[in-house]
């Protein structure tokens, strides 16, 4: 049996601050994906929802929430939560159902209505929750730990705030071409440097916003795709949802402790690097085969680290790639041609699905003004709290 599943449809609700509920955003994205696939809702056999924990009780059971909103028709439902990796977990669940013969057509949906400002922990006293601990014990808000990563890169690799600003300039230029992006205006390095300091060395334009938005995919077996008339669809070839290994030589918030390295040698690669490696191994490709990548740019500095983690360059050379324009549209290996989180902001359950939407449109050749000529293979990469890996390889 082939491990590939077909991407028949991709759809989104534009990112922004719309003041409405996540269910409305998700059903809009789902209907757009169904229309793109040419599939009627009653033909969907399974719905996998990526959960939000901020949108009220229905967010905990997103599969059923979206199935009900679209109109009960008997499909099986599944809901998954893995923080920022929720979308990749949803894609992986859908793929597993298809490859197991449980369903021929699966709808994957993620949507969120995010709070204003940065994310804060849910209420209550939860000393066994590492995310709660890093807020309450360390005072490490998201911008604070983004800044710690940036400072480490400056100390270890010699990166500069000017290097970080180039990432924002690149992503804003791509986002300006994307009708689903929240921020659609070009940004200069001077504008980045003039924006307010949030957590030194990162400025406001170095850090992604929180947003409302949604993304959806219609996945199917390859046999169903052929029967449906899709003879050469985009295919998902690998999904990585690996976890870290101990000992961890560099702490990765919200984890604030590691085990002893006395009896165990440190891993040869970082957690984020292991995410991509597992995807490459399953897909049977490597970084040199990529046409594009969509990575998790919570901050400009973190995008540079992803270049190294997904194997585009050796450790410490990420800044050189952005300086030479290699990762911009028209460059050797465009990264975040969608505009990335810099242009969208975080809508947590939707963002890993949105990354696959961008791969789909690029590999189809339908990405419009941001199209990468001849795109044949791409990878997504992000990371969810609590050790959730997230990477998807799509090919055509």
């Amino acid at each position: 049996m082939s491990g590939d599943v077909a991407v028949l449809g991709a759809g989104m609700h534009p990112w922004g601050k719309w003041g409405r509920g996540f269910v409305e955003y998700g059903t809009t994205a789902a209907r757009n994906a169904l229309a793109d696939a040419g599939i009627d809702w009653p033909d969907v056999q399974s719905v996998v929802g990526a959960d939000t924990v901020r949108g009220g009780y229905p967010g905990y059971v997103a599969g059923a929430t979206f199935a009900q909103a679209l109109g009960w028709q008997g499909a099986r439902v599944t809901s998954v939560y893995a923080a920022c990796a929720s979308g990749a977990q949803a894609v992986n669940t859908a793929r597993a159902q298809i490859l197991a013969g449980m369903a021929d057509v699966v709808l994957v949906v993620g949507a969120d209505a995010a709070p204003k400002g940065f994310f804060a922990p849910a209420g209550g006293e939860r000393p066994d929750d590492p995310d709660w601990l890093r807020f309450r014990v360390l005072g490490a808000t998201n911008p604070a730990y983004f800044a710690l990563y940036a400072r480490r890169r400056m100390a270890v690799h010699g990166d500069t705030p000017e290097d970080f600003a180039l990432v924002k300039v690149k992503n804003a230029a791509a986002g300006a071409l994307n009708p689903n992006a929240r921020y659609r205006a070009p940004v200069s390095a001077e504008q980045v440097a003039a924006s307010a300091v949030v957590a030194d060395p990162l400025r406001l334009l170095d850090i992604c916003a929180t947003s409302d938005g949604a993304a959806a995919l219609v996945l199917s077996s390859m046999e169903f795709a052929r029967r449906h008339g899709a003879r050469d669809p985009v295919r998902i070839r690998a999904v990585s949802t690996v976890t870290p290994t101990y000992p961890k030589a560099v702490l990765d918030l919200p984890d604030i402790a590691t085990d002893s390295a006395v009896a165990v040698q440190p891993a040869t690669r970082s957690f984020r690097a292991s995410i991509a490696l597992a995807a490459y191994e399953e897909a049977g490709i490597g970084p040199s085969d990529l046409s594009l990548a969509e990575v998790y740019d919570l901050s400009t500095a973190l995008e540079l680290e992803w270049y190294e983690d997904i194997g585009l360059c050796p450790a410490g050379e990420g800044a050189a790639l952005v300086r030479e324009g290699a990762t911009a549209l028209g460059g050797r290996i465009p990264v975040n041609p969608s505009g990335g989180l810099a242009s969208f902001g975080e809508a947590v359950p939707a963002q890993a699905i949105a990354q696959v939407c961008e791969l789909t449109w690029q590999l189809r050749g339908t990405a419009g003004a941001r199209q990468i000529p001849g795109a044949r293979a791409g990878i997504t990469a992000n990371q969810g709290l609590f050790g959730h890996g997230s990477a998807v390889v799509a090919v055509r």
Side-chain angles (χ1 to χ4, degrees), residues 327-338:
T327 57
L329 289 175
R332 173 171 58 82
I333 176 64
V335 177
N336 286 338
S338 67

Side-chain angles (χ1 to χ4, degrees), residues 4 232-238 279-280 283-294 310 312 332-337 355-356 358-365 371-380 392-396:
D4 289 357
D232 185 26
V234 172
R235 304 182 301 282
I236 290 177
R237 180 150 290 173
Y280 290 139
I285 68 170
S288 63
D289 299 305
L290 297 176
S291 306
L292 72 151
E294 282 282 314
I310 66 174
L312 302 185
R332 173 171 58 82
I333 176 64
V335 177
N336 286 338
Q355 290 179 322
V356 180
E358 182 66 17
L359 293 194
T360 299
W361 293 323
Q362 290 286 352
L363 298 178
R364 284 179 180 173
Q371 179 64 49
I372 297 164
R376 303 298 295 176
I379 191 171
T380 73
V392 178
V393 172
V395 300
R396 191 172 189 187

Side-chain angles (χ1 to χ4, degrees), residues 28 69 100 190 252 265 303 325 328 334 338 369 385:
T28 297
E190 291 74 21
D252 192 14
Q265 291 297 313
E303 178 169 322
S338 67
L385 295 178

Side-chain angles (χ1 to χ4, degrees), residues 6 40 67 117 186 236 245 286 308-309 342-343 354 360 365-366:
D40 294 326
I236 290 177
T245 58
E308 299 158 15
D309 293 331
S343 299
T360 299
T366 59

